[in-house]
């Protein structure tokens, strides 16, 4: 059995959580492979809504095993809050949520460093989620990090060493650390909660499961255009969000990966700073934000909105090797008379169809205008009900992207998901 990978093809918030939940019945194990509580994965079913941050999105259907992989960075205090909210709504995960000993810990001082580095950037801020993601991955790469497994061995000494190193840096920046004592208190309470769960050597667990023929789905966070190597650097997150991240983030070989489900919105959004060629600053952008309810599920920040960008999407599909596409939130376009799709960029009169190294303000999107379907699709349940103009839009995208769109999502609820044949 090969591990299927599900990931975002744009700048995050494509609707990964919803689709992982929808696909969960077909799998036995769901494993998050990177990112941390910068993620906010929303699921809606039976009139209830959940936002998951570090916990994989496969927890709501049929008692499946969920794994937080080694590639994830985990903040015990946020984890505790997430688990307690789930427990309060009747979901006890103790027996079916397993945590990799090799996942790195986000320390209280990582959160302070995130805020400190952002402040120091002045007007070139990344607009991070402020969860300590960058500093934690920095410590991982510079071989200074602490891991979940370290909680079991002589932790206090290692913790104090890391904390003091961070405090020295914060002091150099003159950063106010008075909040630290309070954050630390919550963090250590979080550690106690975390210890109620089973820590595993997840690479062994997952590879044994592969040998036993178990079906595994790897859940990505963020999106390809936020990838540390291939995203719009430096306005990216600090992990490999691409399909290859599933290999390093779970300890599986490339030969053991199967389908790559690439998820995209029928338009584009982005939170935080960085290039966004098709961004709309007009009423159309406001309408996308309003109809799509485009406000961050973690920070509540309004998301920047624009037309679909096929140059960026083709690039994402290429680096991910996406084998199937899933189009989300087409219902947001239900009332639009016309819909634009960016098929190329233009710089100084020259056309570009390959995503360039530098995406500056001089890039102009080249659009194809499509006729909108202007039909409320949110109650449709079969492909045969789709309006002709919608089918034309999908066929156009498939031709441009050269990968089949297998599922379309026409609303936030689990039920509002239609398979295409
Ligand atoms: P994720 O981070 O990729 O899991 O996505 P988020 O949960 O951050 O953002 C997606 C948002 O769109 C959430 O509020 C979802 O409930 C919502 N959503 C998902 N699919 C659809 C859809 O097809 N239509 C609409 N209108 N909303 C959707
Ligand atoms: P999900 O999994 C959208 C963005 C931040 C910022 C940049 C770096 O819900 O799709 P970080 O805190 O990671 O250092 O921030 O990345 N970002 C996301 N944007 N969805 C996410 O996750 C994101 N996680 C990080 O806004 O621009
Ligand atoms: Mg999200």
């Amino acid at each position: 059995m090969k591990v299927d990978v599900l990931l975002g093809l744009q700048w995050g918030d494509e609707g990964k959580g919803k689709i992982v939940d929808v696909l969960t019945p077909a799998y036995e194990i769901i494993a998050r492979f990177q990112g941390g509580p910068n993620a906010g994965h929303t699921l809606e079913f039976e009139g209830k809504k959940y936002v998951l941050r570090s916990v994989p999105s496969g927890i709501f259907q049929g008692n499946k095993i969920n794994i937080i992989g080694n590639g994830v960075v985990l903040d015990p205090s946020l984890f505790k809050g997430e688990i307690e909210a789930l427990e309060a709504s009747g979901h006890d995960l103790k027996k079916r949520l397993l945590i990799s000993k090799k996942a790195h810990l986000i320390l209280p001082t990582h959160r302070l460093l995130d805020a400190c580095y952002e402040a120091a950037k002045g007007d070139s801020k990344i607009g991070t989620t402020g969860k300590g993601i960058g500093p934690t991955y920095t410590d991982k790469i510079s071989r200074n990090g602490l891991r979940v497994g370290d909680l079991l061995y002589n932790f206090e000494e290692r913790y104090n060493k890391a904390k003091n190193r961070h405090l020295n840096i914060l002091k150099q920046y003159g950063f106010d650390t008075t909040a630290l004592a309070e954050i630390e208190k919550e963090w250590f309470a979080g550690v106690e909660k975390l210890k109620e769960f089973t820590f595993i050597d997840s690479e062994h667990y997952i590879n044994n499961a592969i040998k036993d023929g178990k079906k595994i789905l790897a859940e990505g966070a963020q999106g390809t255009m936020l990838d540390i190597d291939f995203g719009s650097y430096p306005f990216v997150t600090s992990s490999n969000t691409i399909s290859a991240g599933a290999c390093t983030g779970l300890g599986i070989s490339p030969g053991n990966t199967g389908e790559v489900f690439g998820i995209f919105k029928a338009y584009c959004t982005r939170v935080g700073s960085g290039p966004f060629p098709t961004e709309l600053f007009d009423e159309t952008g406001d309408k996308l934000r309003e109809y799509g309810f485009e406000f961050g599920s973690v920070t509540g920040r309004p998301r920047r909105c624009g037309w679909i960008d096929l140059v960026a999407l083709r690039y994402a599909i290429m680096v991910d090797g996406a084998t199937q596409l899933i189009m989300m939130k087409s219902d947001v376009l239900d009332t639009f008379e016309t819909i634009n799709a960016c098929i190329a960029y233009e710089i100084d009169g020259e056309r570009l169809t390959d995503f360039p190294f530098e995406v500056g303000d001089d890039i102009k999107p080249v659009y194809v205008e499509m006729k909108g379907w202007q039909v409320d699709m949110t109650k449709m349940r079969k492909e045969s009900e789709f309006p002709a103009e919608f089918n034309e839009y999908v066929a156009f995208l498939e031709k441009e992207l050269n990968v089949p769109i297998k599922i379309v999502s026409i609303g936030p609820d689990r039920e509002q998901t239609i398979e295409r044949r």
Side-chain angles (χ1 to χ4, degrees):
M1 266 300 166
K2 301 200 185 252
V3 178
D4 293 339
V5 181
L6 181 146
L7 43 73
L9 294 174
Q10 296 161 320
W11 284 277
D13 302 328
E14 296 89 350
K16 299 174 289 294
K18 167 179 165 165
I19 296 299
V20 170
D21 172 65
V22 166
L23 297 180
T24 292
Y27 293 90
E28 285 151 287
I29 298 171
I30 315 296
R32 263 280 297 271
F33 61 86
Q34 47 65 236
N38 47 350
H41 294 179
T42 315
L43 294 80
E44 284 190 43
F45 55 90
E46 293 158 12
K48 287 176 292 238
K49 177 172 165 171
Y50 300 90
V51 181
L52 300 175
R53 311 280 293 276
S54 303
V55 172
S57 303
I59 55 168
F60 294 111
Q61 300 231 56
N63 277 320
K64 303 301 170 78
I65 292 290
N66 282 254
I67 297 176
I68 295 180
N70 59 279
V72 173
V73 290
L74 197 57
D75 181 327
S77 51
L78 294 177
F79 177 80
K80 175 171 179 271
E82 193 174 338
I83 292 297
E84 284 174 351
L86 287 166
E87 283 171 350
S89 58
H91 300 94
D92 185 354
L93 305 182
K94 299 260 164 52
K95 292 208 175 63
R96 52 201 182 88
L97 176 63
L98 309 173
I99 302 171
S100 170
K101 287 181 197 161
K102 294 193 172 74
H104 276 246
L105 290 166
I106 303 176
L107 306 183
T109 37
H110 282 136
R111 231 188 285 170
L112 296 184
L113 283 169
D114 195 355
C116 169
Y117 292 145
E118 275 286 85
K121 277 186 178 275
D123 51 13
S124 56
K125 287 185 185 19
I126 292 164
T128 72
T129 57
K131 303 293 175 239
I133 304 296
T136 306
Y137 278 115
T138 301
D139 273 355
K140 171 177 175 173
I141 300 301
S142 66
R143 297 157 292 182
N144 286 305
L146 292 179
R147 300 180 291 177
V148 167
D150 292 331
L151 291 168
L152 308 172
Y153 309 98
N154 203 6
F155 185 69
E156 207 177 312
E157 192 186 317
R158 296 178 197 209
Y159 174 84
N160 285 327
K161 200 168 155 203
K163 172 179 152 181
N164 289 331
R165 202 169 51 78
H166 294 159
L167 284 175
N168 275 334
I169 301 170
L170 291 161
K171 202 166 152 196
Q172 282 166 32
Y173 280 87
F175 194 81
D176 181 6
T177 56
T178 42
L180 183 59
E182 198 49 42
I183 305 176
E184 266 186 316
K185 214 167 101 192
E186 277 176 36
W187 195 87
F188 279 102
V191 166
E192 290 315 304
K193 189 78 198 170
L194 192 56
K195 283 180 174 167
E196 292 174 16
F197 288 79
T198 309
F199 303 162
I200 59 165
D201 295 305
S202 55
E203 63 280 29
H204 287 295
Y205 188 98
I206 290 170
N207 282 290
N208 284 334
I210 293 172
K211 268 195 218 125
D212 293 344
K214 297 232 161 81
K215 288 204 78 186
I216 305 173
L217 179 65
E219 174 180 1
Q222 290 78 55
T224 303
M225 300 313 285
L226 290 170
D227 180 88
I228 184 74
D229 282 282
F230 299 102
S232 39
Y233 194 88
F235 301 102
V236 293
T237 191
S238 297
S239 62
N240 278 121
T241 59
I242 59 167
S243 53
C247 295
T248 55
L250 295 174
I252 52 176
S253 77
N256 273 332
T257 56
E259 295 294 324
V260 178
F261 301 109
I263 305 208
F264 68 99
K265 282 183 202 182
Y267 49 98
C268 269
T269 63
R270 171 161 207 175
V271 234
S273 326
F276 182 177
T278 61
E279 183 168 13
L280 294 166
F281 300 95
D282 57 5
E283 284 141 41
T284 310
D286 293 341
K287 189 169 159 184
L288 286 172
R289 186 173 309 105
E290 186 193 339
Y291 289 22
F293 197 68
E294 295 296 355
F295 297 90
S297 31
V298 173
T299 56
R301 290 181 287 179
R303 294 177 185 148
R304 301 157 63 194
C305 298
W307 294 121
I308 196 162
D309 181 341
L310 301 177
V311 181
L313 258 182
R314 276 194 293 261
Y315 178 73
I317 288 169
M318 176 185 80
V319 295
D320 289 319
T323 58
Q324 302 189 24
L325 301 178
I326 301 176
M327 181 168 80
M328 309 300 291
K329 301 189 91 160
S330 60
D331 54 297
V332 174
L333 302 176
D334 278 357
T335 61
F336 283 62
E337 247 174 76
T338 54
I339 295 162
N340 282 359
C342 165
I343 51 159
Y345 299 151
E346 215 172 75
I347 313 175
D348 296 332
E350 200 189 323
R351 255 193 191 210
L352 274 187
T353 47
D354 286 343
F355 195 79
F357 174 74
E358 185 77 25
V359 182
D361 292 339
D362 53 345
I363 276 192
K364 286 194 193 64
V366 179
Y367 288 116
V368 165
E369 189 181 89
M370 310 277 297
K371 200 164 173 289
W373 42 95
Q374 294 189 275
V375 176
D376 177 0
M377 288 183 63
T378 56
K379 296 193 179 58
M380 295 182 180
R381 293 296 175 266
K382 291 194 297 287
E383 195 187 351
S384 57
E385 294 173 87
F386 290 172
E389 293 84 354
F390 178 80
N391 285 331
E392 278 161 30
Y393 185 60
V394 176
F396 165 78
L397 294 179
E398 281 186 326
K399 191 164 151 269
E400 285 288 323
L401 300 171
N402 214 12
V403 183
I405 299 175
K406 294 282 203 175
I407 295 175
V408 297
S409 171
I410 49 165
D413 195 90
R414 202 187 257 171
E415 303 288 318
Q416 292 169 301
T417 317
I418 303 180
E419 247 183 86
R420 291 179 73 242
R421 313 219 166 257

